[in-house]
Amino acid sequence: MTQKPRIIFCGTAAFAVPTLDALMASERRPVAVLTRADRPAGRGRRARRSPVKERALQYGLDVHEPRSLRSAADAEWLREREPTAIVTAAYGLIFPPDVLAIPPRGALNVHPSLLPRHRGPAPVVWTLLEGDDNAGVSVFLLEEGVDTGPVLGQRVVPIRAGETAGELTDRLAHIGAALLAETLSGWLEGALTPAPQDDSRAVQSRLLSKADGEVRFDRSAQELERHILAMTPWPGAYTTLSGKQLSIRRAVALPPEYDPRGAAPGTVVRVRRSEDGGGAGIAVGAGEGLLELLEVQAEGRRAMTAREFARGRPDFIGATLPS
């Protein structure tokens, strides 16, 4: 390309900040940033800047906060800046066709899944819930469909034991940022060929609600462990004890040999590991196997180990949690 490419970056959530950082450290520094408008947050409902806006202002970048991208004024704002390409990550607004047509090299999106698997708004959560062996990031070209555009680059990322959705999302954010910087250069130089997605292999994710965090102990211990990891940090995994919420912050499925009596689903029992010199652990019977509780938090209390909680609640051992 004879002229220096002009990049506009679109992002809102914390996941997008490493991508903005990677662009600023490269030869493809954005000329402007689009982010979601400030939103009221906290008890005082004060307007809070998005993580991307905070970082963009630190860089001294021109920041634009459209409520949508469907107005003629917002489309004209983009045209006036003559972008060669748009880069987007965790932005949160739909790009209509007339906006996608503005940059001659299109819009590149960073998505935390191995497309076409886990298209949609919560890919990391569903990667964990489905028990995938690997996670990953994809850089693809936006089109009218949701996460359906042709892929320019992917990176496979093995999932670590005990890794929560929050931890995995943070790791993928940095891996995706590096992949985007590499892919953007290749794309602008004409060295990459987009690969169409196989729609027959597509898996769709969905947004979560608070109700998704409820733990039902009629499922296998392995499924419950994945569920708790996937619900952390939001909406959080929880059950109820004596009519009050009990959050399960950390838990692990035990091997079959730790369930010799076949505890009924939802029954709280003590369990002792031969390699554990710290005393008996606390576990709950599952539809298959035992789930050891490691850290819990009672409603209105601080988080603590399950052992600490059981010492303060003698009725916990033998209690039956909803299954």
Side-chain angles (χ1 to χ4, degrees):
M1 301 183 69
T2 56
Q3 292 184 332
K4 184 177 180 180
R6 292 174 59 81
I7 306 300
I8 286 182
F9 179 70
C10 304
T12 299
F15 176 85
V17 172
T19 298
L20 177 56
D21 289 340
L23 289 173
M24 293 300 295
S26 73
E27 297 179 355
R28 316 296 186 187
R29 294 166 64 96
V31 297
V33 168
L34 272 67
T35 190
R36 297 288 295 273
D38 295 352
R39 291 184 171 186
R43 292 185 177 180
R45 307 304 292 165
R46 295 182 178 179
R48 179 178 295 175
R49 296 171 174 172
S50 75
V52 164
K53 181 178 179 179
E54 290 280 6
R55 187 59 56 89
L57 292 176
Q58 291 172 10
Y59 285 127
L61 292 169
D62 180 18
V63 176
H64 186 53
E65 302 172 77
R67 297 287 176 179
S68 80
L69 294 176
R70 299 189 181 279
S71 72
D74 290 320
E76 185 59 29
W77 185 94
L78 282 167
R79 288 191 189 93
E80 288 174 353
R81 280 146 186 83
E82 300 179 334
T84 308
I86 290 173
V87 170
T88 178
Y91 180 35
L93 290 181
I94 300 296
F95 288 79
D98 62 324
V99 170
L100 292 176
I102 292 172
R105 298 299 285 166
L108 288 73
N109 185 52
V110 184
H111 183 79
S113 85
L114 295 171
L115 292 173
R117 190 161 177 80
H118 304 308
R119 293 173 176 173
V124 176
V125 168
W126 289 95
T127 296
L128 293 175
L129 282 175
E130 294 292 328
D132 293 3
D133 292 328
N134 296 305
V137 286
S138 303
V139 174
F140 69 99
L141 293 172
L142 286 180
E143 57 182 28
E144 285 190 68
V146 177
D147 301 333
T148 59
V151 175
L152 295 174
Q154 286 189 327
R155 191 149 294 161
V156 177
V157 179
I159 298 171
R160 297 169 178 167
E163 192 166 30
T164 67
E167 293 164 345
L168 181 55
T169 298
D170 183 65
R171 193 156 62 98
L172 292 176
H174 290 85
I175 293 169
L179 177 64
L180 181 280
E182 174 188 317
T183 303
L184 179 62
S185 292
W187 175 240
L188 294 177
E189 293 164 5
L192 298 177
T193 301
Q197 294 186 41
D198 182 355
D199 290 341
S200 68
R201 297 175 49 241
V203 177
Q204 194 75 21
S205 68
R206 64 170 175 82
L207 284 173
L208 300 177
S209 68
K210 181 64 178 176
D212 286 305
E214 185 177 10
V215 176
R216 307 299 297 188
F217 291 97
D218 54 353
R219 299 155 66 187
S220 74
Q222 292 287 350
E223 289 178 289
L224 292 172
E225 179 182 343
R226 294 200 306 264
H227 180 257
I228 291 162
L229 292 172
M231 296 299 119
T232 304
W234 196 90
Y238 64 89
T239 183
T240 55
L241 176 67
S242 301
K244 293 188 176 181
Q245 181 172 300
L246 179 67
S247 297
I248 303 176
R249 297 171 61 94
R250 289 193 303 128
V252 61
L254 293 176
E257 59 265 29
Y258 290 99
D259 187 22
R261 294 172 297 175
T267 302
V268 182
V269 297
R270 294 190 186 276
V271 62
R272 185 180 298 277
R273 298 196 195 203
S274 59
E275 71 275 13
D276 185 355
I282 310 300
V284 184
E288 179 182 331
L290 280 177
L291 182 76
E292 184 176 11
L293 303 182
L294 302 177
E295 185 178 343
V296 299
Q297 185 172 9
E299 197 172 319
R301 303 287 299 278
R302 65 174 179 86
M304 63 185 69
T305 68
R307 289 172 177 174
E308 287 179 295
F309 181 77
R311 282 197 292 269
R313 284 288 302 264
D315 62 331
F316 189 44
I317 305 300
T320 300
L321 306 177
S323 60

